Amino acid sequence: MSDTRPFAITLDVGSSLANRTGDWRTERPQYVRRLPPCNHGCPAGEDIQAWLYEAESGGGGYERAWRKLVADNPLPAVMGRVCFHPCETACNRAQLDEAVGINSVERFLGDEAISAGWELPEPHAVTGKRVLVVGSGPSGLSVAYQLALRGHHVTIREQAPKPGGMMRYGIPAYRLPRDVLDAEIERILALGVQLECGERVGDLRAAMREGAYDATFLAVGAHVAKHTEIPGGTASHVLDAIAMLHGLEEGEPPQIGRTVVVYGGGDTALDAARSAKRLGASAPLIIYRRTREQMPAHATELAEAEQEGITFRWLSTIAGVDGGELKIERMELDENGFPQPTGEYERLSADTVVLALGQDADLELLGGLDGIEIVDHTVAVDEQMMTGYPGVFAGGDMVPAERMVAVAIGHGRRAARCIDGWLRDVPARPEPQAELAAFEEINPWYYSDAPRTVRPLLEEIRRQSTFEEVVKGLDEASALYEARRCLSCGNCFSCDNCFGVCPDNAVLKPGGAGAPYAFDLDYCKGCGICVTECPCGAIEMIPEET
Amino acid sequence: MSTPLPFYQTGTFAVGGRLLDEDDRAVQSDPERSNAITKGHRACQGCGEALGARVVLDAALRAADGRLVAANATGCLEVFSTPYPESSWRLPWIHSLFANAPAVATGVAAALRAKGRTDIRVVGQGGDGGTVDIGFACLSGMFERGDDVLYVCYDNQGYMNTGVQRSGATPPAARTATTEPLGGHSGNSFGQGKSAPLIAMAHEIPYVATATVADLRDLEQKVTRAMSFHGPRYIHVLVPCPLGWGSATGETILIARLAKESGLFPVFEAVEGRITSVARIRHKVAVEEYLRRQKRFAHLFAGDGRPDVLARLQTLANRNIERYGLLDDADEPTDIGLLDALATSERGPV
Amino acid sequence: MRKQLEGSQAVAQAVARCRPEVVCAYPITPQTHIVEALSRLALSGELERCEVVNVESEFAAMSVAIGASATGARAYTATASQGLLFMAEVLFNASGLGLPIVMTCANRAVGSPINIWNDHSDSMAMRDCGWIQLYASDNQEAVDLHIQAFRIAEALSTPVMVCMDGFVLTHAFEPLDVPSQEQVDGFLPGYEPRQVLDPDDPMTIGAMVGPEAFTEVRYLAHAKQIEALDFIPQVAEEFRERFGRASGGLLDSYRSEGAETVVVALGSVLGTLAEVVDELRDQGVAVGAVALKAFRPFPLEELRGVLGGAQRVIVLERALAVGIGGIVSSDVRTALAGLSVEAHTVIAGLGGRAITRRSLHALLAQALAGQLPELHFLDLRTDVIERELERTRDGGRPGPHAESILRDLRIVASGPV
Ligand SMILES: Cc1cc2nc3c(=O)[nH]c(=O)nc-3n(C[C@H](O)[C@H](O)[C@H](O)COP(=O)(O)OP(=O)(O)OC[C@H]3O[C@@H](n4cnc5c(N)ncnc54)[C@H](O)[C@@H]3O)c2cc1C
Ligand SMILES: Cc1ncc(C[n+]2csc(CCOP(=O)(O)OP(=O)(O)O)c2C)c(N)n1
Ligand code: SF4
Ligand code: SF4
Ligand SMILES: [Mg+2]
């Protein structure tokens, strides 16, 4: 038939493939993986976008998501409860409607793992190297986990009767149920990490020598409560928050009266006040020198405290304690926003004063180690997380950094890479940092409107007297929904848009549905529509080399 | 979508999505899609018409089980797809003339009927010039006779192939090679407008729809819907032309979206002469936001600008918004008759 | 079997027996009776498996025919005059695409001034549109040519226009034989397109062709018509064998052997002309006539063969190429190139003016007297012209050409009538 077709006016279908339009191009598109702001914001170093991506599938995706998650953080069920989630503060979706509830999905995954009994990956072949970790707080657990995975032998020495550090002896059970904490710690220990509780390290040099350790990671936290001079403040009514919370956990609830005043403005102050409420105080009062806005405690915690009947007195200091009375001085902010005394006083009756003014690290064990630099009660480390003493690394609350669990976990994770490098004599190279996926890279049009889910709270009445967990987890449907609110900033999430919008059919799906795309540079003219229309900013244009 | 989708980031806004059921993905997401126009065509970078035509025909091919014939008017689409010795088409396709695509399509349909080939369907297509101007008689005749043809107009608002001259679909104030903003003129004059879709509706044909390349899924659904009818059907697709509009080649879809979101280009569907649905504005924008991205309107912003002209254009958009109920709080626009629509305004979509 | 029939009815029946699958037309006098009749045949079911499309213009008619033909259907339309010109662009396209559409042109003058009567201005204006043009000398030939036209068109994959004089033939009743369905079926095989729009074998029809191949495309179109110079007589011969009468072919010579003066003409005037030839031959005057049946392709060789022996050739034309005069005659002159044959162009019968035996006799007498100018207008009312030219001359644009018009008119006026 084809031989009868007229010359030139009738053509074979698809013959334009002979015309390679790729050489029209002056710029070419390329797929990129940008750094999502959530990842950037996560001190633990989680690849949040990546695990949300897996979770978005639901079903078997949850385990895949959890596995991605625990590659960086072995305590997701804990973190899903106590993390202050800077990731959400950074989340691009906040500029669209509200941030993705990353933390609640993390908790969902963590809880799923516990109930399903998912196990951490098998450690690598044994290296024969021995590492001592001092302290079993999040930082110590994180480093132990990462080192164990790399095949090193890890011993944790912990002075307290149980592991967990401030996660157990600081954060109250109504925020972090202990069975959750225990389950996640158990899983780490199951990798072969040796834990020795009730073993205080008093002399590090001796401990290292005795155990013939190849390296040491210090994670002793900051447990020494700061005090302030309060005239008459030595009276027995005054106690510190750390001791109070510690005692609570050890089954020795502190003796407090009905009218409790907590002095301080951080999360510890809130925890102390809320615990006091549960121990029978009527309406614990928090006294803080500055304003509500300046309070370092997190807003959600503050709100929960208020719901529970905690009261506040802003711009006030305790000038003295006198029997059952407190002398309160009103403060004023100066033009720089600093509180200044006004000389105006009033009196308040209180039978207990709890001080929550922060903690310092107890660095006694370092005595005799040369080269260690102490800065403001903390130990300085270099970018390899190593102290001035070779082979001794440190992280968590005892080094200069923000004090939160995620930071401690991140330190442990980073330190493990460096310790591993140190042990193998190949210094760890800094992890590559991709360009940030700013909101401007996102094409918000493509995202459905989807308000954030709200985590259910325990009824208020039950928050007066029990240490039952206050914030509940999301059910599966809500967790899935929340995961799917993720914009997948800077990382392809297989929406097929580039494949669909190219006027030149120059986007290929070499692997079929769901697989990564590729550009057919033989035909791509470089118009850039794919770049504009990629919802998540995973394509960029680069000049064509001529 | 008739059945609600489970929530997924991009819902139905993106072309596909790994988490969507096959059936909920656009035809364009299918690695096995027909690619009615294949690569190697000579459309400009970022050509909306090339994209629109592929989307339309791929959807029509799917609806027709691959049994489709296309008749094409002269214009960019024809020129960039079939310069001897290369054709980009992968379906049976014929080009005859600028003005006669609807009639050629009728001829194809008549031949198929005579031969009892009910399995093969027919599409006619052309640019706005070929459709609303020079080919209008043929189009109207095809409608009026009730021929079994889906006709698709790719509206880039001008005679692009001949170098960007004014057509009956060129919006007021646009600069073209024949409506230069010279001698105090501000581009194309504010005429009475000519809404081919409304005129198509006046023929009371089974199906009329407007769409843009900014919403490929909507466009595909309209094609699919159109293919479910027999008799004459008309789809008018806004396809930005980077060359003629002076827009960035990467912004073709963005600009089509702004045309719709500003209200200047109402997107709706009509069955048997009555509007049955409109695509609501999701994020309303002022016309200025749409116009500013296009050099053909640059004279409205040069120097002191032409706020008076902008105001008139905004009035046109507002009129569309009111008339078609484009905002969310508007009454359900179902069942707007053509006459009702005409009664509320003296102008069609721009 | 001969029946008393109107030319249009007979043509419609003949077309119907060619089993067209798509008939699309737009009414224009004097074509109307043909398409009306075809509609009736289709509506009554006598013509089966045929879609009749009542289009909104001739432009659409030819466009529908293109779509139909490209889809493998046998397509037919008919028009005349303004209608033919309205489809001008599409005519070029149909031939360019090589689509074997058959069309009747019921020849009629082209306005302005609007005029519904017969001449050949319409089909002559479309001389170069790439179609084969066949001219019927009488209604029987019109019937027969349509049957042959489908055969030729489809074999060569090129469209064919059958020209029959408006009114003179279309509206004339005479005893005519319309071949039976079996006869036509035996002569005309089913349409086997060279290219077809088919999802099972998709192709792109109607590409854009640039300088690199356009000349070749056009040459091939020319070559196809040159092929037709052989094929048209073959078909005519086969037709003659099957149907027992001569119709069609490239040309028909009437008593032109040994003629000193030969009149060349197209269409129905041949009847009158033959009578005049007979009368003059009876008087011993060596005149003859040649009927040109195929104007495109133009049978240069064949014409040279029949005219080469004459001393004088008069081309009687029913169309005027304003600004030069003859249309057919310039082609005839090409055929006579190098021969010492004197050629005259006579413009006659425009807008339905009758070409009478009397006028033809006068014309031949003038020619035989050696007084026929190179370009002559038969029966021109010179008094009217002279008056009108004088009236509009005021101030005038004097010059040698203008002067010569008046001089010619006076010579003519004073010459034998
Ligand atoms: C009341 C309170 C509430 C908090 N709430 C939150 C919260 O909601 N979210 C959040 O992210 N962060 C919170 N934090 C901060 C967070 O708990 C810490 O930043 C984090 O636990 C630091 O981890 P780490 O491993 O460095 O130290 P720690 O958790 O303090 O662990 C250090 C461990 O080392 C042990 N140790 C110390 N010295 C020795 C030694 N010489 N020998 C052996 N063992 C030793 C300690 O017993 C302890 O177990 C809170 C802190 C407090 C005090
Ligand atoms: C009868 C006729 N007049 C004019 C032209 C020249 N011409 C070819 S394409 C074109 C403009 C096409 O405009 P449109 O139909 O809007 O298609 P576009 O190129 O803009 O996609 C014109 C004027 C022509 N080919 N035929
Ligand atoms: S939208 Fe997703 S990827 Fe982007 S910052 Fe938020 S959680 Fe991270
Ligand atoms: S001129 Fe416009 S419509 Fe034509 S190919 Fe270029 S971008 Fe497309
Ligand atoms: Mg156009």
Side-chain angles (χ1 to χ4, degrees), chain B residues 184-186 299-312:
Chain B
H185 295 270
S186 55
H299 54 281
L300 303 183
F301 302 102
D304 294 339
R306 289 296 302 266
D308 54 328
V309 178
L310 287 179
R312 288 185 78 179

Side-chain angles (χ1 to χ4, degrees), chain C residues 120-393:
Chain C
H120 293 166
S121 308
D122 49 5
S123 54
M124 285 299 154
M126 290 296 105
R127 180 187 66 176
D128 298 328
C129 72
W131 285 53
I132 287 177
Q133 278 192 4
L134 305 178
Y135 285 78
S137 302
D138 55 41
N139 266 331
Q140 187 59 60
E141 189 165 53
V143 165
D144 298 348
L145 278 183
H146 279 91
I147 299 166
Q148 294 185 30
F150 282 106
R151 213 16 229 286
I152 296 164
E154 288 168 14
L156 297 171
S157 202
T158 204
V160 176
M161 191 188 305
V162 179
C163 303
M164 62 189 290
D165 287 327
F167 290 110
V168 184
L169 295 182
T170 56
H171 287 55
F173 279 78
E174 47 191 306
L176 294 170
D177 172 47
V178 178
S180 70
Q181 188 64 62
E182 297 70 49
Q183 281 177 303
V184 175
D185 286 348
F187 178 77
L188 180 63
Y191 171 32
E192 291 212 7
R194 293 202 186 178
Q195 51 181 351
V196 64
L197 296 165
D198 178 1
D200 289 327
D201 180 20
M203 61 183 82
T204 297
I205 300 179
M208 168 166 161
V209 179
E212 71 281 20
F214 193 81
T215 307
E216 287 67 30
V217 170
R218 300 307 293 157
Y219 182 85
L220 289 168
H222 177 66
K224 215 187 291 187
Q225 287 221 355
I226 299 306
E227 259 182 73
L229 287 173
D230 294 328
F231 192 62
I232 291 168
Q234 270 174 40
V235 171
E237 179 54 24
E238 197 187 316
F239 188 89
R240 194 188 56 74
E241 281 166 14
R242 280 179 177 269
F243 297 86
R245 62 176 171 264
S247 278
L250 298 173
L251 48 77
D252 194 13
S253 148
Y254 189 77
R255 300 183 80 169
S256 56
E257 314 77 37
E260 286 168 15
T261 301
V262 182
V263 182
V264 178
L266 304 84
S268 61
V269 73
L270 257 302
T272 321
L273 195 56
E275 285 174 33
V276 173
V277 166
D278 286 345
E279 285 158 12
L280 288 175
R281 279 283 189 179
D282 288 349
Q283 294 164 22
V285 185
V287 296
V290 168
L292 207 46
K293 303 290 166 104
F295 176 57
R296 284 293 178 269
F298 193 79
L300 282 177
E301 289 295 317
E302 292 73 5
L303 209 54
R304 193 178 166 89
V306 294
L307 299 181
Q311 288 168 13
R312 179 185 298 109
V313 171
I314 299 169
V315 186
L316 193 65
E317 304 209 39
R318 294 193 98 144
L320 168 66
V322 174
I324 171 72
I327 300 169
V328 182
S329 37
S330 55
D331 294 351
V332 172
R333 284 193 175 94
T334 305
L336 298 176
L339 301 176
S340 56
V341 182
E342 147 192 344
H344 302 267
T345 302
V346 175
I347 309 297
L350 296 188
R353 178 166 295 179
I355 303 175
T356 61
R357 276 167 48 210
R358 205 172 105 90
S359 307
L360 288 176
H361 274 297
L363 173 75
L364 283 164
Q366 194 181 345
L368 293 171
Q371 286 183 353
L372 189 62
E374 232 175 71
L375 172 62
H376 175 72
F377 289 75
L378 191 68
D379 297 342
L380 184 69
R381 291 172 56 197
T382 50
D383 51 337
V384 175
I385 299 296
E386 202 167 346
R387 220 184 309 122
E388 191 57 16
L389 288 176
E390 288 291 7
R391 186 177 72 83
T392 54
R393 257 186 150 222

